[in-house]
Amino acid sequence: MPETVDGFEGLKQMFDAIDQDIEAIKWREFFLDQADRLQGDHQTYFDDSKSPEGNKWAKLAASTIKRKGNNNILIDTNRLIKSLTQRGPDAIREPFASGNMVGLVFGTAVPYAHFHMTGTRHMPARPEVGITEERMEKLQSQVAGVYVETIIKPKR
């Protein structure tokens, strides 16, 4: 049954109650769940040797394959892949809330990751950190769902 609002004061009270409900949302758990999903996405990037945009990573130079003894792109010590696919000392997984902003900082603290993302004079870029359009659309839909559920939840 729809709720009735009595005049401007009633409307103000309704919006104040909605604001309080929205401020009470527990975003930390939501974004930690999203970090787990992103970890899975990043495992797929490594498995498929593709950037988050779906572009194949450049093949390794013959000299690199000879030095490493294999042709596994971006995998040598496993430090980089572990930082993006598992929780650990190099993994960055920080949900945040500041004022009316909430979000998740996701990435790696491995110092050489930047060089793989951007490339160097001697190495092509092989972007390994990011989010797909599909994941972003799902995330936006889930955030909108949290807001809608919060606003229309039945009053107790």
Side-chain angles (χ1 to χ4, degrees):
M1 180 170 160
E3 208 171 301
T4 58
V5 176
D6 186 26
F8 287 118
E9 185 57 35
L11 190 61
K12 180 186 178 319
Q13 289 173 356
M14 181 183 75
F15 284 125
D16 287 346
I18 290 171
D19 281 345
Q20 288 175 358
D21 289 344
I22 287 174
E23 286 178 15
I25 296 171
K26 304 291 186 221
W27 287 110
R28 181 171 180 76
E29 292 80 22
F30 175 84
F31 282 111
L32 287 175
D33 179 59
Q34 296 305 315
D36 291 342
R37 292 168 195 238
L38 287 170
Q39 286 177 187
D41 290 349
H42 284 76
Q43 182 66 57
T44 301
Y45 306 154
F46 279 86
D47 291 345
D48 296 345
S49 299
K50 289 184 179 179
S51 72
E53 291 79 29
N55 301 319
K56 272 298 233 187
W57 290 335
K59 296 203 179 294
L60 295 176
S63 59
T64 303
I65 294 170
K66 183 177 180 182
R67 179 184 52 78
K68 287 176 56 167
N70 64 60
N71 64 351
N72 297 328
I73 302 172
L74 295 187
I75 300 176
D76 195 3
T77 65
N78 289 322
R79 183 177 177 195
L80 180 59
I81 189 173
K82 282 182 178 180
S83 73
L84 292 167
T85 61
Q86 302 172 20
R87 293 176 196 248
D90 290 323
I92 299 172
R93 312 286 187 273
E94 277 304 314
F96 70 87
S98 177
N100 63 354
M101 296 187 314
V102 295
L104 171 71
V105 178
F106 179 95
T108 176
V110 173
Y112 52 82
H114 170 77
F115 300 111
H116 293 298
M117 287 291 294
T118 61
T120 68
R121 257 186 339 188
H122 305 288
M123 180 179 67
R126 295 181 180 99
E128 78 278 7
V129 181
I131 187 167
T132 64
E133 284 291 322
E134 179 183 6
R135 174 67 63 212
M136 183 58 77
E137 288 170 7
K138 286 179 183 177
L139 179 59
Q140 290 169 339
S141 177
Q142 289 171 324
V143 168
V146 169
Y147 280 121
V148 169
E149 288 173 17
T150 299
I151 291 170
I152 65 170
K153 73 175 188 215
K155 299 295 179 195
R156 290 167 232 179

